Amino acid sequence: MKKTIGLLAVTVFLLGTTLFAQEAAPEAAPAPEAAPAPAAKAADSDVKVSGSVRVRPEVKSNYDFDNKTTKDTAEYVGQRTWVTVEKGLGDNSKAVVTIQDSRIWGGSASGIDDVKGSGMNGLNTSNTASILQGGLDAREAYLQVGNILGQPLTATLGRQKLVYGDQRLVGHLDWTNVGRSFDGLKLSHDMKGLNKLDVFGVIMKEGDPADVENGTDTPSLTEGCIDWDSNGDCIDYGKVYSNQDTNFIGIYDTIKAAGLVHIDVYYLSRMKVDGTQSLNTMGGRITNKDGKKVLDAFPVKGLDFTFEYAMQSGNTGEKTTDKKEITYAGSAMAVTAGFKFGMFRVGGEFAMASGEDYDESTAKATDTTVETFQNLVHTNHLHYGNADQISWQNMNAFAVDFTAFLSDALNVKVAYWMASKASEFDSWYNVAGAAKKNTVWKDKDGKVSSNKGLFSEIDVIVNYNPRPYLALQLGYSMVMPGDGVTEQHDIANKAKAGSAETSNAQFGYLMTAFKF
């Protein structure tokens, strides 16, 4: 209880320091997905019920890029159901509860965990240990109180979604069958048309749920890993605290500059309550869009753009072999641009994120910084390719895309992606941000390989909304291995360079969403 009160007190204090500055403007709305189910808006004293049912069969094939592997195809049908009840309480206040059911037709999550090398088990979230077979849970359950102290100040307390910017760092993860929710408090000061300031504090992990029963908060020391290599394997064991709470706080301010652009400035911090670990992310973002819509006052019609940059600091809680503290020092950048003319839009995107820039075998003992950017609580499916091969870590990725808006109800998008490592001395990180094993590649002479190519990818996405309550999305991706992947397969198979020991990965789905 003390740590929870302390977290909320910090949140209130941070808001108080900036409350009366010139600020306010809502964060950019998330890019809409094929299964939107926004919470119903309730008038004062009204009760509104809304919801959605989304069904998505998927097929993933050859995600290890090895044409000799036989059991590397997964196919399943996921279904997610939302029912939201919203009660208006008057004075811009309301109570909201969203019940979510998530399931795989005819099976359990363990049935697809056997696909080796594919990471088919998805992402762990705060809702459940399984992203696919989540069962019944509360996706949202919060009380929102408005007009606090007669100001445009709103407090949201309880289980809620957090969505900021393009969701590269903080998002709802609604593409997955379970998604992501946060338990905590958010304060919003919203001066319409000028600025919006959000300050939030949430508990990411309760280190010892037994605190509820025994009334104690004493961390216990157990034997555990205290150092890992770049492939994620433990290389040193020692005594660690096994039940430390993890909290996440943030300040996110959006400035509307004369209606021409939105400028975001943010500070995000994930920390252990005892101060042994802290990851601080500071950054900024500028865009001429509100959600996907270009701002009306922007002078160049049809042009859209977004630029974001973030850098990290903090203490990892680890030390070098000569007992020096190891700190975070990563950075990341992303830029998107597009131009719409008539019924067409052409666009492009470039994203980069830093990785470790040293040879672990010679510099591990003395290097005191982690240069790998940490991707936080993202919605990566919106970026870096539809097949979800990579996260915003140790990467350079470039894309071009073309969209044809054939009617109000039908559009088709084609995109081409190329991705490589930023540093050959670091791993390839999957969509969840975990390092893939044995991806600090070595060449045939046993030295770190200079080949950094990960993959290229072609995506085709068709959106069709025949009725107001019905949305369909058809997606297909072909993923071709890069030179780094091909080299490793050649070496593993003792084949000549360039031989056909690798093959393409494929991903396909048909998503149907009903909302009411």
Side-chain angles (χ1 to χ4, degrees):
M1 178 61 72
K2 291 181 179 179
K3 56 183 175 290
T4 303
I5 295 173
L7 174 62
L8 300 183
V10 168
T11 305
V12 174
F13 172 75
L14 290 173
L15 181 72
T17 61
T18 51
L19 180 61
F20 296 104
Q22 289 296 316
E23 66 242 342
E27 66 271 12
E33 298 176 356
K41 295 183 178 180
D44 288 356
S45 301
D46 285 346
V47 175
K48 295 290 182 69
V49 178
S50 63
S52 72
V53 177
R54 188 185 76 181
V55 178
R56 186 174 69 224
E58 301 182 30
V59 178
K60 298 180 179 181
S61 175
N62 199 41
Y63 266 39
D64 60 1
F65 298 109
D66 192 334
N67 62 6
K68 292 186 176 181
T69 305
T70 55
K71 296 181 179 181
D72 59 355
T73 298
E75 51 192 43
Y76 48 90
V77 180
Q79 177 174 328
R80 186 192 68 196
T81 304
W82 286 345
V83 177
T84 298
V85 179
E86 180 176 320
K87 167 64 176 176
L89 303 174
D91 203 23
N92 290 327
S93 301
K94 61 183 179 181
V96 176
V97 175
T98 298
I99 301 301
Q100 172 177 285
D101 178 74
S102 176
R103 63 185 57 252
I104 297 298
W105 283 9
S108 65
S110 61
I112 62 169
D113 286 349
D114 296 330
V115 183
K116 294 182 178 179
S118 66
M120 294 297 185
N121 57 323
L123 310 176
N124 291 330
T125 73
S126 57
N127 293 69
T128 177
S130 170
I131 197 69
L132 295 165
Q133 190 77 356
L136 194 66
D137 202 349
R139 182 63 194 276
E140 298 175 299
Y142 64 83
L143 175 65
Q144 189 172 92
V145 179
N147 295 335
I148 298 174
L149 302 176
Q151 298 291 321
L153 176 63
T154 301
T156 305
L157 178 65
R159 190 170 187 80
Q160 58 194 284
K161 297 180 183 181
L162 295 177
V163 175
Y164 291 103
D166 295 319
Q167 302 190 60
R168 295 183 191 270
L169 293 173
V170 183
H172 51 47
L173 206 62
D174 276 348
W175 163 260
T176 66
N177 230 31
V178 174
R180 180 185 292 115
S181 298
F182 299 87
D183 301 317
L185 171 67
K186 179 178 72 174
L187 300 176
S188 300
H189 187 259
D190 191 352
M191 298 172 65
K192 300 293 186 181
L194 295 175
N195 208 66
K196 182 183 178 184
L197 173 68
D198 276 7
V199 178
F200 64 83
V202 300
I203 298 176
M204 297 287 292
K205 178 184 177 183
E206 171 59 48
D208 187 2
D211 289 352
V212 177
E213 299 177 3
N214 59 32
T216 66
D217 190 25
T218 303
S220 59
L221 279 169
T222 60
E223 188 76 16
C225 189
I226 60 174
D227 197 9
W228 297 261
D229 65 17
S230 56
N231 287 326
D233 297 321
C234 189
I235 60 177
D236 193 9
Y237 290 86
K239 294 293 184 179
V240 297
Y241 287 114
S242 62
N243 59 349
Q244 286 294 290
D245 290 6
T246 302
N247 298 331
F248 185 42
I249 65 171
I251 304 173
Y252 201 101
D253 188 55
T254 302
I255 305 166
K256 292 185 176 181
L260 296 173
V261 294
H262 288 180
I263 302 171
D264 299 346
V265 180
Y266 54 82
Y267 171 82
L268 309 168
S269 183
R270 185 182 67 199
M271 67 190 74
K272 297 284 189 180
V273 295
D274 65 353
T276 56
Q277 293 182 19
S278 63
L279 173 61
N280 308 312
T281 303
M282 294 157 285
R285 175 178 173 270
I286 183 170
T287 182
N288 70 336
K289 297 184 294 182
D290 185 1
K292 295 191 71 174
K293 184 178 181 297
V294 175
L295 296 169
D296 292 335
F298 191 75
V300 183
K301 302 304 179 183
L303 176 67
D304 64 84
F305 68 88
T306 301
F307 174 82
E308 183 167 0
Y309 178 81
M311 56 185 179
Q312 294 180 328
S313 63
N315 185 4
T316 66
E318 300 176 9
K319 295 183 179 181
T320 63
T321 54
D322 55 358
K323 307 303 181 184
K324 293 182 180 179
E325 297 287 344
I326 300 177
T327 59
Y328 291 106
S331 62
M333 182 270 288
V335 58
T336 65
F339 188 78
K340 186 177 181 181
F341 53 98
M343 59 184 292
F344 304 110
R345 180 189 180 274
V346 293
E349 179 171 350
F350 174 73
M352 62 78 59
S354 60
E356 293 294 350
D357 59 359
Y358 64 86
D359 187 340
E360 179 180 298
S361 63
T362 60
K364 181 67 175 178
T366 58
D367 190 85
T368 58
T369 57
V370 173
E371 287 87 3
T372 307
F373 188 76
Q374 309 298 306
N375 204 185
L376 298 184
V377 283
H378 51 77
T379 303
N380 273 337
H381 181 76
L382 302 176
H383 312 285
Y384 325 128
N386 210 37
D388 291 338
Q389 292 289 317
I390 198 171
S391 64
W392 208 18
Q393 296 176 263
N394 188 38
M395 56 89 93
N396 291 312
F398 172 77
V400 292
D401 60 77
F402 175 82
T403 305
F405 299 91
L406 303 178
S407 70
D408 290 341
L410 178 65
N411 64 76
V412 179
K413 179 179 179 179
V414 179
Y416 176 76
W417 280 90
M418 291 185 65
S420 63
K421 291 183 182 181
S423 170
E424 63 268 35
F425 298 112
D426 203 350
S427 298
W428 174 359
Y429 293 85
N430 67 17
V431 67
K436 295 189 177 186
K437 284 193 173 183
N438 303 317
T439 53
V440 179
W441 294 320
K442 301 296 179 65
D443 61 21
K444 62 182 180 180
D445 297 321
K447 298 180 180 179
V448 175
S449 174
S450 60
N451 289 325
K452 298 187 286 186
L454 297 176
F455 63 88
S456 56
E457 177 176 330
I458 298 173
D459 298 326
V460 180
I461 302 173
V462 180
N463 289 298
Y464 181 48
N465 303 305
R467 301 181 182 182
Y469 57 84
L470 176 62
L472 298 104
Q473 185 177 90
L474 175 67
Y476 174 77
S477 300
M478 179 175 288
V479 188
M480 291 74 72
D483 59 10
V485 176
T486 302
E487 178 190 42
Q488 296 307 300
H489 280 264
D490 288 341
I491 293 173
N493 290 289
K494 297 181 180 179
K496 294 181 179 179
S499 63
E501 295 297 336
T502 57
S503 56
N504 300 335
Q506 299 183 76
F507 171 52
Y509 64 92
L510 174 61
M511 184 160 60
T512 304
F514 301 87
K515 62 179 182 178
F516 57 89

